[in-house]
Amino acid sequence: MEKMPIALKKNKVTQITDVARLAGVSASAVSAALNNRPQISAATRERILKVVEKCNYVPQRSARTLSSRRSFQLGFLLSSKVTLGLANSYYSLMLAGVSEVCKQHDYHMMVTTYDLSSLNRFIRPVGAWQRNVDGIILAGDTDLAVIRELQAAETPFIVIGGDYPADVLCLRLDVAGTIEEILRYFYCLNHRRILVPYHYRDTRRIYEQVLAMLAETGQCPDLQVELEFYAGEDEFRVGDTLALHWLQEPERFTALIASDQLGIGFLRTLLRHGKSCPQDISLVTAESSLSSNSVVPMTATDDRSYELGKIAAENILALLEKRRTLAEVQQGLADNFRPAKLIRRESCGPAPNC
């Protein structure tokens, strides 16, 4: 039987390094034993746990939780209506931003998906109602009625994206400004007929507002923008279908504004049928690894998803830890309201026959 290298004391041990010293192992080995990770042998694990038991060691996180009655855990809830869910590159980058801030502040994360798009399909997250998380970050298509339900749980949260009433903490994006920049860019390339497939409720409203402003000020006078709703959740397949319809049209739109997944689906079918991009049609999508590494690298809007995740996490933690007031957090979120930058690549060119 292995012997303890140092006699154990009766008084309580509060540092993981003390446990490591008493057990004759590294601090990382103690952490592995406490979190049931497989990096150490069964004998080493048993020796460490004996030290933990005899010294009444309480890990710092647990001690902090008990003394403050907080979990020191953030929840990241993504709407399940998002194509590819957590594998979606836009939201996975956002999640990485949240995770980075959690690491810096020694918080854990609870990551999951819920249908946030409609109250009829919404199931209350258990973590929010049982206060297993101190704060929540919401992303994806989120209905206001769902947000009102979450407010009843009294767990602070921030929504990334969308346009909600003033009592909802929301990291809003200047979508209208981004749309205006894309339309002006296409117009300068002599594109006059543009298709915009949309899935989210607010997209049509925002486009109509921008087009009304352009018409009122006499800008882009002969521009035609077609807004086409699609209900399918597989945006790659929606793009495939849209390209097949485009190939059959006698009078085709010359530019497409779409998500990265839909753009990829459209482009692969386009190329498969012998057409070219941007010679036959130009595309602008959302920035992601898909758009930048496509067979035709696509012009995209840099929506700063990683940065947005960090901003949301930093602000919710500042509110929870009372480093900022509610008004200061609201102002901090508002300061990040600006259009996305347009990253110009090979998928855009002059309109055909120009």
Side-chain angles (χ1 to χ4, degrees), residues 245-282:
H245 290 166
W246 180 84
L247 289 164
Q248 297 170 2
E249 289 289 331
E251 295 184 9
R252 298 166 177 163
F253 52 87
T254 63
L256 174 69
I257 305 172
S259 71
D260 52 346
Q261 293 98 338
L262 197 152
I264 287 291
F266 186 95
L267 183 62
R268 69 186 179 191
T269 300
L270 178 85
L271 299 177
R272 193 179 296 139
H273 285 79
K275 297 298 181 180
S276 300
C277 174
Q279 290 79 8
D280 295 306
I281 187 170
S282 292

PDB file of all heavy atoms in Angstrom, residues 245-282:
ATOM      1  N   HIS A 245     -34.565  26.754 -60.019  1.00  0.00           N
ATOM      2  CA  HIS A 245     -35.607  27.667 -60.509  1.00  0.00           C
ATOM      3  C   HIS A 245     -34.987  28.800 -61.319  1.00  0.00           C
ATOM      4  O   HIS A 245     -35.516  29.204 -62.357  1.00  0.00           O
ATOM      5  CB  HIS A 245     -36.405  28.241 -59.338  1.00  0.00           C
ATOM      6  CG  HIS A 245     -37.281  27.228 -58.663  1.00  0.00           C
ATOM      7  ND1 HIS A 245     -37.873  27.446 -57.434  1.00  0.00           N
ATOM      8  CD2 HIS A 245     -37.667  25.982 -59.036  1.00  0.00           C
ATOM      9  CE1 HIS A 245     -38.576  26.390 -57.086  1.00  0.00           C
ATOM     10  NE2 HIS A 245     -38.460  25.480 -58.049  1.00  0.00           N
ATOM     11  N   TRP A 246     -33.855  29.310 -60.836  1.00  0.00           N
ATOM     12  CA  TRP A 246     -33.168  30.409 -61.528  1.00  0.00           C
ATOM     13  C   TRP A 246     -32.751  29.989 -62.940  1.00  0.00           C
ATOM     14  O   TRP A 246     -32.871  30.761 -63.902  1.00  0.00           O
ATOM     15  CB  TRP A 246     -31.952  30.823 -60.716  1.00  0.00           C
ATOM     16  CG  TRP A 246     -31.143  31.947 -61.306  1.00  0.00           C
ATOM     17  CD1 TRP A 246     -31.371  33.283 -61.187  1.00  0.00           C
ATOM     18  CD2 TRP A 246     -29.965  31.816 -62.112  1.00  0.00           C
ATOM     19  NE1 TRP A 246     -30.407  34.000 -61.872  1.00  0.00           N
ATOM     20  CE2 TRP A 246     -29.536  33.113 -62.444  1.00  0.00           C
ATOM     21  CE3 TRP A 246     -29.233  30.713 -62.579  1.00  0.00           C
ATOM     22  CZ2 TRP A 246     -28.401  33.350 -63.228  1.00  0.00           C
ATOM     23  CZ3 TRP A 246     -28.107  30.937 -63.366  1.00  0.00           C
ATOM     24  CH2 TRP A 246     -27.704  32.243 -63.672  1.00  0.00           C
ATOM     25  N   LEU A 247     -32.271  28.758 -63.079  1.00  0.00           N
ATOM     26  CA  LEU A 247     -31.829  28.256 -64.381  1.00  0.00           C
ATOM     27  C   LEU A 247     -32.971  28.185 -65.393  1.00  0.00           C
ATOM     28  O   LEU A 247     -32.740  28.278 -66.602  1.00  0.00           O
ATOM     29  CB  LEU A 247     -31.203  26.869 -64.210  1.00  0.00           C
ATOM     30  CG  LEU A 247     -29.836  26.832 -63.495  1.00  0.00           C
ATOM     31  CD1 LEU A 247     -29.509  25.423 -63.039  1.00  0.00           C
ATOM     32  CD2 LEU A 247     -28.744  27.365 -64.418  1.00  0.00           C
ATOM     33  N   GLN A 248     -34.200  28.034 -64.908  1.00  0.00           N
ATOM     34  CA  GLN A 248     -35.357  27.893 -65.788  1.00  0.00           C
ATOM     35  C   GLN A 248     -36.028  29.232 -66.117  1.00  0.00           C
ATOM     36  O   GLN A 248     -36.884  29.298 -66.994  1.00  0.00           O
ATOM     37  CB  GLN A 248     -36.380  26.950 -65.149  1.00  0.00           C
ATOM     38  CG  GLN A 248     -35.855  25.529 -64.953  1.00  0.00           C
ATOM     39  CD  GLN A 248     -36.782  24.673 -64.095  1.00  0.00           C
ATOM     40  OE1 GLN A 248     -37.842  25.129 -63.675  1.00  0.00           O
ATOM     41  NE2 GLN A 248     -36.379  23.434 -63.832  1.00  0.00           N
ATOM     42  N   GLU A 249     -35.633  30.291 -65.422  1.00  0.00           N
ATOM     43  CA  GLU A 249     -36.269  31.596 -65.625  1.00  0.00           C
ATOM     44  C   GLU A 249     -35.762  32.260 -66.902  1.00  0.00           C
ATOM     45  O   GLU A 249     -34.552  32.319 -67.135  1.00  0.00           O
ATOM     46  CB  GLU A 249     -35.974  32.520 -64.442  1.00  0.00           C
ATOM     47  CG  GLU A 249     -36.679  32.140 -63.148  1.00  0.00           C
ATOM     48  CD  GLU A 249     -38.174  32.407 -63.232  1.00  0.00           C
ATOM     49  OE1 GLU A 249     -38.583  33.322 -63.978  1.00  0.00           O
ATOM     50  OE2 GLU A 249     -38.939  31.689 -62.562  1.00  0.00           O
ATOM     51  N   PRO A 250     -36.675  32.810 -67.724  1.00  0.00           N
ATOM     52  CA  PRO A 250     -36.235  33.527 -68.933  1.00  0.00           C
ATOM     53  C   PRO A 250     -35.585  34.871 -68.599  1.00  0.00           C
ATOM     54  O   PRO A 250     -34.651  35.298 -69.270  1.00  0.00           O
ATOM     55  CB  PRO A 250     -37.531  33.714 -69.728  1.00  0.00           C
ATOM     56  CG  PRO A 250     -38.622  33.626 -68.697  1.00  0.00           C
ATOM     57  CD  PRO A 250     -38.136  32.686 -67.644  1.00  0.00           C
ATOM     58  N   GLU A 251     -36.098  35.544 -67.562  1.00  0.00           N
ATOM     59  CA  GLU A 251     -35.519  36.805 -67.101  1.00  0.00           C
ATOM     60  C   GLU A 251     -35.039  36.602 -65.666  1.00  0.00           C
ATOM     61  O   GLU A 251     -35.838  36.482 -64.747  1.00  0.00           O
ATOM     62  CB  GLU A 251     -36.548  37.935 -67.168  1.00  0.00           C
ATOM     63  CG  GLU A 251     -36.994  38.263 -68.580  1.00  0.00           C
ATOM     64  CD  GLU A 251     -37.931  39.448 -68.615  1.00  0.00           C
ATOM     65  OE1 GLU A 251     -38.098  40.113 -67.562  1.00  0.00           O
ATOM     66  OE2 GLU A 251     -38.512  39.708 -69.678  1.00  0.00           O
ATOM     67  N   ARG A 252     -33.745  36.570 -65.515  1.00  0.00           N
ATOM     68  CA  ARG A 252     -33.179  36.188 -64.222  1.00  0.00           C
ATOM     69  C   ARG A 252     -32.713  37.397 -63.428  1.00  0.00           C
ATOM     70  O   ARG A 252     -32.281  38.399 -64.006  1.00  0.00           O
ATOM     71  CB  ARG A 252     -31.986  35.251 -64.441  1.00  0.00           C
ATOM     72  CG  ARG A 252     -32.336  33.947 -65.140  1.00  0.00           C
ATOM     73  CD  ARG A 252     -31.069  33.266 -65.614  1.00  0.00           C
ATOM     74  NE  ARG A 252     -31.353  31.964 -66.225  1.00  0.00           N
ATOM     75  CZ  ARG A 252     -30.505  31.313 -67.005  1.00  0.00           C
ATOM     76  NH1 ARG A 252     -29.312  31.854 -67.263  1.00  0.00           N
ATOM     77  NH2 ARG A 252     -30.825  30.145 -67.521  1.00  0.00           N
ATOM     78  N   PHE A 253     -32.783  37.280 -62.105  1.00  0.00           N
ATOM     79  CA  PHE A 253     -32.132  38.274 -61.255  1.00  0.00           C
ATOM     80  C   PHE A 253     -30.628  38.093 -61.408  1.00  0.00           C
ATOM     81  O   PHE A 253     -30.144  37.000 -61.718  1.00  0.00           O
ATOM     82  CB  PHE A 253     -32.565  38.130 -59.796  1.00  0.00           C
ATOM     83  CG  PHE A 253     -32.440  36.750 -59.218  1.00  0.00           C
ATOM     84  CD1 PHE A 253     -31.250  36.327 -58.647  1.00  0.00           C
ATOM     85  CD2 PHE A 253     -33.518  35.857 -59.230  1.00  0.00           C
ATOM     86  CE1 PHE A 253     -31.120  35.059 -58.101  1.00  0.00           C
ATOM     87  CE2 PHE A 253     -33.401  34.579 -58.693  1.00  0.00           C
ATOM     88  CZ  PHE A 253     -32.194  34.180 -58.125  1.00  0.00           C
ATOM     89  N   THR A 254     -29.876  39.158 -61.225  1.00  0.00           N
ATOM     90  CA  THR A 254     -28.433  39.104 -61.468  1.00  0.00           C
ATOM     91  C   THR A 254     -27.607  39.098 -60.186  1.00  0.00           C
ATOM     92  O   THR A 254     -26.381  38.980 -60.242  1.00  0.00           O
ATOM     93  CB  THR A 254     -27.984  40.302 -62.327  1.00  0.00           C
ATOM     94  OG1 THR A 254     -28.237  41.513 -61.592  1.00  0.00           O
ATOM     95  CG2 THR A 254     -28.735  40.329 -63.647  1.00  0.00           C
ATOM     96  N   ALA A 255     -28.277  39.251 -59.043  1.00  0.00           N
ATOM     97  CA  ALA A 255     -27.549  39.262 -57.768  1.00  0.00           C
ATOM     98  C   ALA A 255     -28.406  38.599 -56.698  1.00  0.00           C
ATOM     99  O   ALA A 255     -29.638  38.674 -56.715  1.00  0.00           O
ATOM    100  CB  ALA A 255     -27.196  40.684 -57.362  1.00  0.00           C
ATOM    101  N   LEU A 256     -27.734  37.953 -55.761  1.00  0.00           N
ATOM    102  CA  LEU A 256     -28.406  37.222 -54.683  1.00  0.00           C
ATOM    103  C   LEU A 256     -27.785  37.620 -53.350  1.00  0.00           C
ATOM    104  O   LEU A 256     -26.557  37.667 -53.213  1.00  0.00           O
ATOM    105  CB  LEU A 256     -28.240  35.717 -54.900  1.00  0.00           C
ATOM    106  CG  LEU A 256     -28.759  34.781 -53.794  1.00  0.00           C
ATOM    107  CD1 LEU A 256     -30.286  34.807 -53.737  1.00  0.00           C
ATOM    108  CD2 LEU A 256     -28.264  33.354 -54.019  1.00  0.00           C
ATOM    109  N   ILE A 257     -28.631  37.910 -52.365  1.00  0.00           N
ATOM    110  CA  ILE A 257     -28.190  38.184 -50.987  1.00  0.00           C
ATOM    111  C   ILE A 257     -28.768  37.077 -50.116  1.00  0.00           C
ATOM    112  O   ILE A 257     -29.993  36.933 -50.038  1.00  0.00           O
ATOM    113  CB  ILE A 257     -28.670  39.565 -50.497  1.00  0.00           C
ATOM    114  CG1 ILE A 257     -28.215  40.665 -51.451  1.00  0.00           C
ATOM    115  CG2 ILE A 257     -28.163  39.838 -49.082  1.00  0.00           C
ATOM    116  CD1 ILE A 257     -28.810  42.035 -51.128  1.00  0.00           C
ATOM    117  N   ALA A 258     -27.918  36.295 -49.463  1.00  0.00           N
ATOM    118  CA  ALA A 258     -28.411  35.121 -48.737  1.00  0.00           C
ATOM    119  C   ALA A 258     -27.484  34.766 -47.590  1.00  0.00           C
ATOM    120  O   ALA A 258     -26.415  35.346 -47.418  1.00  0.00           O
ATOM    121  CB  ALA A 258     -28.532  33.937 -49.698  1.00  0.00           C
ATOM    122  N   SER A 259     -27.908  33.770 -46.801  1.00  0.00           N
ATOM    123  CA  SER A 259     -27.048  33.228 -45.750  1.00  0.00           C
ATOM    124  C   SER A 259     -25.907  32.440 -46.388  1.00  0.00           C
ATOM    125  O   SER A 259     -25.957  32.100 -47.575  1.00  0.00           O
ATOM    126  CB  SER A 259     -27.857  32.313 -44.829  1.00  0.00           C
ATOM    127  OG  SER A 259     -28.195  31.113 -45.517  1.00  0.00           O
ATOM    128  N   ASP A 260     -24.888  32.126 -45.605  1.00  0.00           N
ATOM    129  CA  ASP A 260     -23.757  31.383 -46.160  1.00  0.00           C
ATOM    130  C   ASP A 260     -24.172  29.986 -46.616  1.00  0.00           C
ATOM    131  O   ASP A 260     -23.766  29.524 -47.684  1.00  0.00           O
ATOM    132  CB  ASP A 260     -22.604  31.315 -45.159  1.00  0.00           C
ATOM    133  CG  ASP A 260     -23.025  30.807 -43.784  1.00  0.00           C
ATOM    134  OD1 ASP A 260     -24.240  30.755 -43.501  1.00  0.00           O
ATOM    135  OD2 ASP A 260     -22.134  30.478 -42.973  1.00  0.00           O
ATOM    136  N   GLN A 261     -25.036  29.313 -45.824  1.00  0.00           N
ATOM    137  CA  GLN A 261     -25.458  27.963 -46.212  1.00  0.00           C
ATOM    138  C   GLN A 261     -26.272  27.981 -47.500  1.00  0.00           C
ATOM    139  O   GLN A 261     -26.074  27.170 -48.401  1.00  0.00           O
ATOM    140  CB  GLN A 261     -26.279  27.307 -45.097  1.00  0.00           C
ATOM    141  CG  GLN A 261     -25.489  26.999 -43.850  1.00  0.00           C
ATOM    142  CD  GLN A 261     -25.667  28.073 -42.795  1.00  0.00           C
ATOM    143  OE1 GLN A 261     -26.025  29.207 -43.107  1.00  0.00           O
ATOM    144  NE2 GLN A 261     -25.405  27.743 -41.559  1.00  0.00           N
ATOM    145  N   LEU A 262     -27.217  28.933 -47.588  1.00  0.00           N
ATOM    146  CA  LEU A 262     -28.039  29.020 -48.782  1.00  0.00           C
ATOM    147  C   LEU A 262     -27.172  29.389 -49.986  1.00  0.00           C
ATOM    148  O   LEU A 262     -27.342  28.851 -51.086  1.00  0.00           O
ATOM    149  CB  LEU A 262     -29.154  30.057 -48.571  1.00  0.00           C
ATOM    150  CG  LEU A 262     -30.338  30.001 -49.539  1.00  0.00           C
ATOM    151  CD1 LEU A 262     -31.603  30.528 -48.874  1.00  0.00           C
ATOM    152  CD2 LEU A 262     -30.052  30.779 -50.816  1.00  0.00           C
ATOM    153  N   GLY A 263     -26.225  30.297 -49.787  1.00  0.00           N
ATOM    154  CA  GLY A 263     -25.335  30.687 -50.869  1.00  0.00           C
ATOM    155  C   GLY A 263     -24.512  29.521 -51.386  1.00  0.00           C
ATOM    156  O   GLY A 263     -24.316  29.370 -52.597  1.00  0.00           O
ATOM    157  N   ILE A 264     -24.008  28.683 -50.475  1.00  0.00           N
ATOM    158  CA  ILE A 264     -23.238  27.506 -50.880  1.00  0.00           C
ATOM    159  C   ILE A 264     -24.106  26.554 -51.694  1.00  0.00           C
ATOM    160  O   ILE A 264     -23.684  26.020 -52.736  1.00  0.00           O
ATOM    161  CB  ILE A 264     -22.658  26.786 -49.647  1.00  0.00           C
ATOM    162  CG1 ILE A 264     -21.501  27.579 -49.050  1.00  0.00           C
ATOM    163  CG2 ILE A 264     -22.197  25.373 -49.997  1.00  0.00           C
ATOM    164  CD1 ILE A 264     -20.257  27.616 -49.914  1.00  0.00           C
ATOM    165  N   GLY A 265     -25.334  26.299 -51.239  1.00  0.00           N
ATOM    166  CA  GLY A 265     -26.249  25.418 -51.964  1.00  0.00           C
ATOM    167  C   GLY A 265     -26.550  25.953 -53.356  1.00  0.00           C
ATOM    168  O   GLY A 265     -26.570  25.197 -54.342  1.00  0.00           O
ATOM    169  N   PHE A 266     -26.773  27.250 -53.452  1.00  0.00           N
ATOM    170  CA  PHE A 266     -27.064  27.885 -54.747  1.00  0.00           C
ATOM    171  C   PHE A 266     -25.849  27.777 -55.666  1.00  0.00           C
ATOM    172  O   PHE A 266     -25.961  27.401 -56.835  1.00  0.00           O
ATOM    173  CB  PHE A 266     -27.438  29.351 -54.524  1.00  0.00           C
ATOM    174  CG  PHE A 266     -27.897  30.067 -55.767  1.00  0.00           C
ATOM    175  CD1 PHE A 266     -29.243  30.170 -56.063  1.00  0.00           C
ATOM    176  CD2 PHE A 266     -26.972  30.626 -56.645  1.00  0.00           C
ATOM    177  CE1 PHE A 266     -29.665  30.827 -57.219  1.00  0.00           C
ATOM    178  CE2 PHE A 266     -27.383  31.280 -57.800  1.00  0.00           C
ATOM    179  CZ  PHE A 266     -28.736  31.385 -58.088  1.00  0.00           C
ATOM    180  N   LEU A 267     -24.672  28.089 -55.138  1.00  0.00           N
ATOM    181  CA  LEU A 267     -23.464  28.129 -55.951  1.00  0.00           C
ATOM    182  C   LEU A 267     -23.098  26.754 -56.495  1.00  0.00           C
ATOM    183  O   LEU A 267     -22.730  26.614 -57.669  1.00  0.00           O
ATOM    184  CB  LEU A 267     -22.314  28.695 -55.116  1.00  0.00           C
ATOM    185  CG  LEU A 267     -20.970  28.885 -55.826  1.00  0.00           C
ATOM    186  CD1 LEU A 267     -21.105  29.877 -56.971  1.00  0.00           C
ATOM    187  CD2 LEU A 267     -19.910  29.354 -54.839  1.00  0.00           C
ATOM    188  N   ARG A 268     -23.190  25.720 -55.672  1.00  0.00           N
ATOM    189  CA  ARG A 268     -22.773  24.391 -56.144  1.00  0.00           C
ATOM    190  C   ARG A 268     -23.688  23.887 -57.258  1.00  0.00           C
ATOM    191  O   ARG A 268     -23.227  23.239 -58.204  1.00  0.00           O
ATOM    192  CB  ARG A 268     -22.718  23.409 -54.988  1.00  0.00           C
ATOM    193  CG  ARG A 268     -24.048  23.030 -54.373  1.00  0.00           C
ATOM    194  CD  ARG A 268     -23.846  22.167 -53.144  1.00  0.00           C
ATOM    195  NE  ARG A 268     -25.126  21.813 -52.511  1.00  0.00           N
ATOM    196  CZ  ARG A 268     -25.218  21.245 -51.317  1.00  0.00           C
ATOM    197  NH1 ARG A 268     -24.124  20.949 -50.636  1.00  0.00           N
ATOM    198  NH2 ARG A 268     -26.403  20.946 -50.804  1.00  0.00           N
ATOM    199  N   THR A 269     -24.999  24.196 -57.168  1.00  0.00           N
ATOM    200  CA  THR A 269     -25.924  23.792 -58.237  1.00  0.00           C
ATOM    201  C   THR A 269     -25.686  24.626 -59.481  1.00  0.00           C
ATOM    202  O   THR A 269     -25.726  24.118 -60.612  1.00  0.00           O
ATOM    203  CB  THR A 269     -27.375  23.947 -57.758  1.00  0.00           C
ATOM    204  OG1 THR A 269     -27.581  23.113 -56.623  1.00  0.00           O
ATOM    205  CG2 THR A 269     -28.364  23.564 -58.843  1.00  0.00           C
ATOM    206  N   LEU A 270     -25.420  25.894 -59.315  1.00  0.00           N
ATOM    207  CA  LEU A 270     -25.118  26.797 -60.430  1.00  0.00           C
ATOM    208  C   LEU A 270     -23.922  26.281 -61.227  1.00  0.00           C
ATOM    209  O   LEU A 270     -23.974  26.146 -62.464  1.00  0.00           O
ATOM    210  CB  LEU A 270     -24.819  28.192 -59.870  1.00  0.00           C
ATOM    211  CG  LEU A 270     -24.427  29.296 -60.845  1.00  0.00           C
ATOM    212  CD1 LEU A 270     -25.679  29.941 -61.406  1.00  0.00           C
ATOM    213  CD2 LEU A 270     -23.569  30.353 -60.156  1.00  0.00           C
ATOM    214  N   LEU A 271     -22.831  25.962 -60.517  1.00  0.00           N
ATOM    215  CA  LEU A 271     -21.614  25.507 -61.176  1.00  0.00           C
ATOM    216  C   LEU A 271     -21.805  24.132 -61.807  1.00  0.00           C
ATOM    217  O   LEU A 271     -21.254  23.836 -62.880  1.00  0.00           O
ATOM    218  CB  LEU A 271     -20.461  25.464 -60.176  1.00  0.00           C
ATOM    219  CG  LEU A 271     -20.077  26.806 -59.523  1.00  0.00           C
ATOM    220  CD1 LEU A 271     -18.957  26.608 -58.505  1.00  0.00           C
ATOM    221  CD2 LEU A 271     -19.663  27.823 -60.574  1.00  0.00           C
ATOM    222  N   ARG A 272     -22.594  23.303 -61.159  1.00  0.00           N
ATOM    223  CA  ARG A 272     -22.854  21.944 -61.674  1.00  0.00           C
ATOM    224  C   ARG A 272     -23.566  21.992 -63.029  1.00  0.00           C
ATOM    225  O   ARG A 272     -23.433  21.077 -63.839  1.00  0.00           O
ATOM    226  CB  ARG A 272     -23.687  21.176 -60.656  1.00  0.00           C
ATOM    227  CG  ARG A 272     -23.760  19.679 -60.905  1.00  0.00           C
ATOM    228  CD  ARG A 272     -24.597  19.017 -59.822  1.00  0.00           C
ATOM    229  NE  ARG A 272     -23.975  19.163 -58.521  1.00  0.00           N
ATOM    230  CZ  ARG A 272     -24.642  19.447 -57.397  1.00  0.00           C
ATOM    231  NH1 ARG A 272     -25.952  19.644 -57.434  1.00  0.00           N
ATOM    232  NH2 ARG A 272     -24.007  19.557 -56.262  1.00  0.00           N
ATOM    233  N   HIS A 273     -24.301  23.079 -63.266  1.00  0.00           N
ATOM    234  CA  HIS A 273     -25.051  23.220 -64.524  1.00  0.00           C
ATOM    235  C   HIS A 273     -24.340  24.133 -65.515  1.00  0.00           C
ATOM    236  O   HIS A 273     -24.957  24.676 -66.445  1.00  0.00           O
ATOM    237  CB  HIS A 273     -26.459  23.729 -64.238  1.00  0.00           C
ATOM    238  CG  HIS A 273     -27.361  22.689 -63.664  1.00  0.00           C
ATOM    239  ND1 HIS A 273     -27.327  22.328 -62.333  1.00  0.00           N
ATOM    240  CD2 HIS A 273     -28.317  21.895 -64.236  1.00  0.00           C
ATOM    241  CE1 HIS A 273     -28.224  21.383 -62.108  1.00  0.00           C
ATOM    242  NE2 HIS A 273     -28.833  21.103 -63.238  1.00  0.00           N
ATOM    243  N   GLY A 274     -23.041  24.320 -65.308  1.00  0.00           N
ATOM    244  CA  GLY A 274     -22.251  25.012 -66.309  1.00  0.00           C
ATOM    245  C   GLY A 274     -22.281  26.528 -66.265  1.00  0.00           C
ATOM    246  O   GLY A 274     -21.755  27.182 -67.166  1.00  0.00           O
ATOM    247  N   LYS A 275     -22.868  27.111 -65.247  1.00  0.00           N
ATOM    248  CA  LYS A 275     -22.896  28.560 -65.118  1.00  0.00           C
ATOM    249  C   LYS A 275     -21.705  29.040 -64.283  1.00  0.00           C
ATOM    250  O   LYS A 275     -21.017  28.233 -63.639  1.00  0.00           O
ATOM    251  CB  LYS A 275     -24.206  29.019 -64.482  1.00  0.00           C
ATOM    252  CG  LYS A 275     -25.441  28.702 -65.311  1.00  0.00           C
ATOM    253  CD  LYS A 275     -25.395  29.423 -66.658  1.00  0.00           C
ATOM    254  CE  LYS A 275     -26.635  29.131 -67.496  1.00  0.00           C
ATOM    255  NZ  LYS A 275     -26.593  29.840 -68.804  1.00  0.00           N
ATOM    256  N   SER A 276     -21.476  30.346 -64.300  1.00  0.00           N
ATOM    257  CA  SER A 276     -20.309  30.898 -63.617  1.00  0.00           C
ATOM    258  C   SER A 276     -20.704  31.989 -62.637  1.00  0.00           C
ATOM    259  O   SER A 276     -21.742  32.644 -62.789  1.00  0.00           O
ATOM    260  CB  SER A 276     -19.326  31.485 -64.650  1.00  0.00           C
ATOM    261  OG  SER A 276     -18.894  30.506 -65.560  1.00  0.00           O
ATOM    262  N   CYS A 277     -19.861  32.177 -61.661  1.00  0.00           N
ATOM    263  CA  CYS A 277     -20.021  33.249 -60.673  1.00  0.00           C
ATOM    264  C   CYS A 277     -18.686  33.984 -60.590  1.00  0.00           C
ATOM    265  O   CYS A 277     -17.655  33.350 -60.378  1.00  0.00           O
ATOM    266  CB  CYS A 277     -20.418  32.672 -59.310  1.00  0.00           C
ATOM    267  SG  CYS A 277     -20.477  33.872 -57.975  1.00  0.00           S
ATOM    268  N   PRO A 278     -18.660  35.293 -60.848  1.00  0.00           N
ATOM    269  CA  PRO A 278     -19.784  36.235 -60.920  1.00  0.00           C
ATOM    270  C   PRO A 278     -20.233  36.578 -62.333  1.00  0.00           C
ATOM    271  O   PRO A 278     -21.006  37.522 -62.525  1.00  0.00           O
ATOM    272  CB  PRO A 278     -19.194  37.475 -60.254  1.00  0.00           C
ATOM    273  CG  PRO A 278     -17.767  37.471 -60.697  1.00  0.00           C
ATOM    274  CD  PRO A 278     -17.372  36.018 -60.771  1.00  0.00           C
ATOM    275  N   GLN A 279     -19.779  35.830 -63.371  1.00  0.00           N
ATOM    276  CA  GLN A 279     -20.114  36.193 -64.742  1.00  0.00           C
ATOM    277  C   GLN A 279     -21.614  36.143 -65.001  1.00  0.00           C
ATOM    278  O   GLN A 279     -22.171  36.995 -65.706  1.00  0.00           O
ATOM    279  CB  GLN A 279     -19.383  35.270 -65.723  1.00  0.00           C
ATOM    280  CG  GLN A 279     -17.872  35.492 -65.798  1.00  0.00           C
ATOM    281  CD  GLN A 279     -17.124  34.867 -64.643  1.00  0.00           C
ATOM    282  OE1 GLN A 279     -17.703  34.130 -63.835  1.00  0.00           O
ATOM    283  NE2 GLN A 279     -15.826  35.154 -64.552  1.00  0.00           N
ATOM    284  N   ASP A 280     -22.290  35.122 -64.425  1.00  0.00           N
ATOM    285  CA  ASP A 280     -23.730  34.975 -64.642  1.00  0.00           C
ATOM    286  C   ASP A 280     -24.557  35.554 -63.496  1.00  0.00           C
ATOM    287  O   ASP A 280     -25.687  36.003 -63.712  1.00  0.00           O
ATOM    288  CB  ASP A 280     -24.082  33.495 -64.829  1.00  0.00           C
ATOM    289  CG  ASP A 280     -23.463  32.925 -66.093  1.00  0.00           C
ATOM    290  OD1 ASP A 280     -23.682  33.512 -67.179  1.00  0.00           O
ATOM    291  OD2 ASP A 280     -22.745  31.913 -66.009  1.00  0.00           O
ATOM    292  N   ILE A 281     -24.027  35.510 -62.296  1.00  0.00           N
ATOM    293  CA  ILE A 281     -24.742  36.039 -61.130  1.00  0.00           C
ATOM    294  C   ILE A 281     -23.740  36.353 -60.026  1.00  0.00           C
ATOM    295  O   ILE A 281     -22.702  35.685 -59.908  1.00  0.00           O
ATOM    296  CB  ILE A 281     -25.801  35.037 -60.614  1.00  0.00           C
ATOM    297  CG1 ILE A 281     -26.645  35.673 -59.499  1.00  0.00           C
ATOM    298  CG2 ILE A 281     -25.173  33.724 -60.166  1.00  0.00           C
ATOM    299  CD1 ILE A 281     -27.858  34.856 -59.103  1.00  0.00           C
ATOM    300  N   SER A 282     -24.027  37.393 -59.240  1.00  0.00           N
ATOM    301  CA  SER A 282     -23.168  37.776 -58.112  1.00  0.00           C
ATOM    302  C   SER A 282     -23.848  37.403 -56.803  1.00  0.00           C
ATOM    303  O   SER A 282     -25.090  37.431 -56.705  1.00  0.00           O
ATOM    304  CB  SER A 282     -22.892  39.278 -58.147  1.00  0.00           C
ATOM    305  OG  SER A 282     -22.073  39.619 -59.248  1.00  0.00           O
TER     306      SER A 282
END
